[in-house]
Amino acid sequence: MSEESAKVRRALVGRVVSDKMQKTVTVLVERRVKHPLYGKIVTRSAKYHAHVEDGAATAGDLVEIEECRPISRTKTWTVTRVIEKARVI
């Protein structure tokens, strides 16, 4: 019973592209896949809305997001940790 209740949650690493919403950031996750016919490596990307408490992640940060219960219509991910802060030039 305890093994079934501990669900494996997906975790992704991406870059924050927008932090203009309250308690929400937009994270761009890129992955490299091989084309099935031609064999060329192509970059696929997807944007996810992730929940973040007290503005821990800002635009440009590299973050890890984890799947969670639906918080709103588009938000089903939470920021678990900030891997790298954005460099300010």
Side-chain angles (χ1 to χ4, degrees):
M1 183 71 121
S2 63
E3 293 177 13
E4 294 175 10
S5 63
K7 293 196 175 199
V8 177
R9 296 186 177 190
R10 291 191 296 163
L12 301 172
V13 175
R15 193 149 309 266
V16 176
V17 292
S18 173
D19 61 346
K20 296 182 185 297
M21 295 173 275
Q22 294 178 2
K23 296 188 178 184
T24 304
V25 292
T26 304
V27 180
L28 179 72
V29 176
E30 291 183 332
R31 59 190 179 94
R32 294 163 52 92
V33 295
K34 192 174 184 181
H35 190 277
L37 179 62
Y38 301 115
K40 181 179 177 176
I41 302 296
V42 291
T43 304
R44 299 283 182 207
S45 62
K47 287 184 182 178
Y48 300 99
H49 286 152
H51 183 76
V52 60
E53 284 294 330
D54 59 38
T58 57
D61 292 353
L62 190 67
V63 295
E64 181 184 55
I65 58 175
E66 185 179 75
E67 203 172 27
C68 67
R69 64 176 178 80
I71 298 170
S72 70
R73 185 169 64 119
T74 59
K75 195 162 60 165
T76 57
W77 297 82
T78 57
V79 174
T80 54
R81 66 187 177 110
V82 177
I83 298 170
E84 178 186 302
K85 295 297 282 181
R87 291 194 336 229
V88 179
I89 297 174

